[in-house]
Amino acid sequence: MVPATAPHPSPLPAGGEREGPAKREGEGLLALQRSGPAVRKLIEESGLDTARIAPTGPGGRISKTDVIAARRRPSSPPPDLAVGEREVRVRMPRLRRRIAERLKAAQNTAAMLTTFNEIDMTEAIALRERYRADFEKKHGARLGFMSIFVKAAIVALKKLPAVNAEIDGDDIVYKNHYDIGVAVGTEQGLVVPVVRDADRMSFAEIEQTIAALARRARDGKLTIEDLSGGTFTITNGGVYGSLMSTPILNPPQSAILGMHKIERRPVALGDKVEIRPMMYVALSYDHRIVDGREAVTFLVRIKECVEEPSRILFDV
């Protein structure tokens, strides 16, 4: 997950008066009607609220440049509060509404449960430090932990295919491909671009693909195709400092893996206590299709692969 930069507040219009949301929405719809079909399609794919797009085209039309500029602005900047104002009402941006609808639909539809485990990151950290410089020099991509977790997840998904499946009506659809969604935080909101056929990729290809998707997400250049068709999702709240959380399903997927902050803490190893870099991981899953035994086994497999990355290479 890529952290978003802090949004800047929007200045008041000339004269210090606020434009009403109804007025802004009406002007936005009028500008949309004047715009061409290609621009309207781009706005729809972006999930933008037309009230947030400042038209600069001839005749009050919205241009492609206007849409790209709106993508790069924060989706819900905090308004300036005048002295004495206790609250300000602003319209929820379209993208934020879509996110809210999908999250609520996941809660209403799935029988969602979460199971937790912890991972000793000692070996993964040592492996990364050992090869980081050579990896970046050769592949032009930063060596992170995400490629290790993606590969570990694929090992676990192959062992427990229900976690990679989805419910379609009265049917269970088992997937024999591994398209891994990676949650990315942007100024416009959380998006989940998909790394397709990740099981066929090397560690370098996964890191390169994630980096490219994250750049496109920050620049507002992701397409509907980039965001659709995933079979399993990984989200990393640790980049924001989260120690533990319960991730919400990305429907119609049946499970999502949550990574968290690496924290050094005392761990009992046999009869000794050592300080180790530990990470809590969480698996939220749809209990309609994934049993508790499968969920726990899945996380144990993730733990084994990350604590001993050589297992991924030798498929053991």
Side-chain angles (χ1 to χ4, degrees), residues 25 36 55 66 80 97 132 157 176 224 259 311:
E25 184 174 2
D66 299 332
D80 287 330
R97 294 201 304 268
R132 177 189 295 190
L157 291 169
N176 197 27
I224 295 298
M259 300 166 55
R311 286 179 174 272

PDB file of all heavy atoms in Angstrom, residues 25 36 55 66 80 97 132 157 176 224 259 311:
ATOM      1  N   GLU A  25     -22.914  20.956  -8.326  1.00  0.00           N
ATOM      2  CA  GLU A  25     -23.312  19.739  -9.027  1.00  0.00           C
ATOM      3  C   GLU A  25     -24.001  20.074 -10.341  1.00  0.00           C
ATOM      4  O   GLU A  25     -23.765  19.425 -11.373  1.00  0.00           O
ATOM      5  CB  GLU A  25     -24.246  18.916  -8.133  1.00  0.00           C
ATOM      6  CG  GLU A  25     -24.621  17.575  -8.751  1.00  0.00           C
ATOM      7  CD  GLU A  25     -25.424  16.716  -7.791  1.00  0.00           C
ATOM      8  OE1 GLU A  25     -25.713  17.168  -6.681  1.00  0.00           O
ATOM      9  OE2 GLU A  25     -25.765  15.585  -8.184  1.00  0.00           O
ATOM     10  N   GLY A  36     -17.134  15.725 -24.768  1.00  0.00           N
ATOM     11  CA  GLY A  36     -17.188  14.631 -25.728  1.00  0.00           C
ATOM     12  C   GLY A  36     -17.324  13.265 -25.067  1.00  0.00           C
ATOM     13  O   GLY A  36     -17.085  13.114 -23.853  1.00  0.00           O
ATOM     14  N   PRO A  55     -13.796  22.891 -15.587  1.00  0.00           N
ATOM     15  CA  PRO A  55     -13.680  22.827 -17.045  1.00  0.00           C
ATOM     16  C   PRO A  55     -12.889  24.004 -17.599  1.00  0.00           C
ATOM     17  O   PRO A  55     -13.134  25.158 -17.246  1.00  0.00           O
ATOM     18  CB  PRO A  55     -15.140  22.868 -17.510  1.00  0.00           C
ATOM     19  CG  PRO A  55     -15.874  23.563 -16.419  1.00  0.00           C
ATOM     20  CD  PRO A  55     -15.166  23.235 -15.151  1.00  0.00           C
ATOM     21  N   ASP A  66      -8.323  18.358 -17.859  1.00  0.00           N
ATOM     22  CA  ASP A  66      -9.074  18.698 -16.644  1.00  0.00           C
ATOM     23  C   ASP A  66      -9.327  17.454 -15.796  1.00  0.00           C
ATOM     24  O   ASP A  66      -9.245  17.508 -14.565  1.00  0.00           O
ATOM     25  CB  ASP A  66     -10.418  19.337 -17.012  1.00  0.00           C
ATOM     26  CG  ASP A  66     -10.256  20.633 -17.793  1.00  0.00           C
ATOM     27  OD1 ASP A  66      -9.223  21.310 -17.606  1.00  0.00           O
ATOM     28  OD2 ASP A  66     -11.164  20.957 -18.585  1.00  0.00           O
ATOM     29  N   ASP A  80     -12.018  24.923   4.479  1.00  0.00           N
ATOM     30  CA  ASP A  80     -11.621  25.972   5.422  1.00  0.00           C
ATOM     31  C   ASP A  80     -12.813  26.292   6.310  1.00  0.00           C
ATOM     32  O   ASP A  80     -13.932  26.484   5.819  1.00  0.00           O
ATOM     33  CB  ASP A  80     -11.198  27.235   4.665  1.00  0.00           C
ATOM     34  CG  ASP A  80      -9.852  27.059   3.992  1.00  0.00           C
ATOM     35  OD1 ASP A  80      -9.031  26.301   4.524  1.00  0.00           O
ATOM     36  OD2 ASP A  80      -9.647  27.671   2.926  1.00  0.00           O
ATOM     37  N   ARG A  97     -17.957   7.358  -2.509  1.00  0.00           N
ATOM     38  CA  ARG A  97     -19.263   6.678  -2.431  1.00  0.00           C
ATOM     39  C   ARG A  97     -19.172   5.258  -2.960  1.00  0.00           C
ATOM     40  O   ARG A  97     -19.763   4.324  -2.394  1.00  0.00           O
ATOM     41  CB  ARG A  97     -20.319   7.472  -3.220  1.00  0.00           C
ATOM     42  CG  ARG A  97     -20.652   8.826  -2.641  1.00  0.00           C
ATOM     43  CD  ARG A  97     -22.005   9.344  -3.124  1.00  0.00           C
ATOM     44  NE  ARG A  97     -22.114   9.409  -4.564  1.00  0.00           N
ATOM     45  CZ  ARG A  97     -21.813  10.491  -5.281  1.00  0.00           C
ATOM     46  NH1 ARG A  97     -21.374  11.583  -4.672  1.00  0.00           N
ATOM     47  NH2 ARG A  97     -21.951  10.487  -6.590  1.00  0.00           N
ATOM     48  N   ARG A 132      19.524  -6.623  -1.580  1.00  0.00           N
ATOM     49  CA  ARG A 132      18.804  -5.410  -1.984  1.00  0.00           C
ATOM     50  C   ARG A 132      19.555  -4.610  -3.040  1.00  0.00           C
ATOM     51  O   ARG A 132      18.987  -4.255  -4.086  1.00  0.00           O
ATOM     52  CB  ARG A 132      18.543  -4.524  -0.767  1.00  0.00           C
ATOM     53  CG  ARG A 132      17.853  -3.208  -1.136  1.00  0.00           C
ATOM     54  CD  ARG A 132      17.797  -2.241   0.031  1.00  0.00           C
ATOM     55  NE  ARG A 132      16.963  -2.756   1.099  1.00  0.00           N
ATOM     56  CZ  ARG A 132      16.603  -2.010   2.146  1.00  0.00           C
ATOM     57  NH1 ARG A 132      17.027  -0.774   2.250  1.00  0.00           N
ATOM     58  NH2 ARG A 132      15.843  -2.537   3.084  1.00  0.00           N
ATOM     59  N   LEU A 157      -2.457 -20.568  -1.584  1.00  0.00           N
ATOM     60  CA  LEU A 157      -3.671 -20.657  -2.399  1.00  0.00           C
ATOM     61  C   LEU A 157      -3.723 -21.964  -3.177  1.00  0.00           C
ATOM     62  O   LEU A 157      -4.804 -22.550  -3.360  1.00  0.00           O
ATOM     63  CB  LEU A 157      -3.747 -19.467  -3.358  1.00  0.00           C
ATOM     64  CG  LEU A 157      -4.006 -18.092  -2.736  1.00  0.00           C
ATOM     65  CD1 LEU A 157      -3.795 -16.990  -3.759  1.00  0.00           C
ATOM     66  CD2 LEU A 157      -5.405 -18.018  -2.149  1.00  0.00           C
ATOM     67  N   ASN A 176      -8.118 -21.413 -11.322  1.00  0.00           N
ATOM     68  CA  ASN A 176      -6.819 -22.033 -11.552  1.00  0.00           C
ATOM     69  C   ASN A 176      -5.818 -21.008 -12.070  1.00  0.00           C
ATOM     70  O   ASN A 176      -4.889 -21.314 -12.789  1.00  0.00           O
ATOM     71  CB  ASN A 176      -6.944 -23.188 -12.544  1.00  0.00           C
ATOM     72  CG  ASN A 176      -5.731 -24.106 -12.508  1.00  0.00           C
ATOM     73  OD1 ASN A 176      -5.060 -24.206 -11.482  1.00  0.00           O
ATOM     74  ND2 ASN A 176      -5.436 -24.748 -13.625  1.00  0.00           N
ATOM     75  N   ILE A 224     -10.183   0.550 -15.705  1.00  0.00           N
ATOM     76  CA  ILE A 224     -11.085  -0.450 -15.128  1.00  0.00           C
ATOM     77  C   ILE A 224     -10.448  -1.832 -15.203  1.00  0.00           C
ATOM     78  O   ILE A 224     -10.572  -2.646 -14.278  1.00  0.00           O
ATOM     79  CB  ILE A 224     -12.436  -0.451 -15.873  1.00  0.00           C
ATOM     80  CG1 ILE A 224     -13.155   0.892 -15.664  1.00  0.00           C
ATOM     81  CG2 ILE A 224     -13.312  -1.586 -15.391  1.00  0.00           C
ATOM     82  CD1 ILE A 224     -13.505   1.195 -14.227  1.00  0.00           C
ATOM     83  N   MET A 259      -1.270  -7.382   5.987  1.00  0.00           N
ATOM     84  CA  MET A 259       0.067  -7.280   6.576  1.00  0.00           C
ATOM     85  C   MET A 259       0.080  -6.078   7.518  1.00  0.00           C
ATOM     86  O   MET A 259      -0.702  -5.145   7.365  1.00  0.00           O
ATOM     87  CB  MET A 259       1.122  -7.091   5.482  1.00  0.00           C
ATOM     88  CG  MET A 259       1.193  -8.202   4.477  1.00  0.00           C
ATOM     89  SD  MET A 259       2.146  -7.737   2.989  1.00  0.00           S
ATOM     90  CE  MET A 259       3.715  -7.212   3.687  1.00  0.00           C
ATOM     91  N   ARG A 311      11.565 -22.134   1.202  1.00  0.00           N
ATOM     92  CA  ARG A 311      10.432 -23.029   0.932  1.00  0.00           C
ATOM     93  C   ARG A 311       9.730 -22.647  -0.365  1.00  0.00           C
ATOM     94  O   ARG A 311       9.229 -23.500  -1.094  1.00  0.00           O
ATOM     95  CB  ARG A 311       9.423 -22.989   2.083  1.00  0.00           C
ATOM     96  CG  ARG A 311       9.857 -23.706   3.354  1.00  0.00           C
ATOM     97  CD  ARG A 311       8.790 -23.575   4.424  1.00  0.00           C
ATOM     98  NE  ARG A 311       9.091 -24.352   5.600  1.00  0.00           N
ATOM     99  CZ  ARG A 311       8.747 -25.626   5.765  1.00  0.00           C
ATOM    100  NH1 ARG A 311       8.093 -26.259   4.808  1.00  0.00           N
ATOM    101  NH2 ARG A 311       9.056 -26.293   6.872  1.00  0.00           N
TER     102      ARG A 311
END
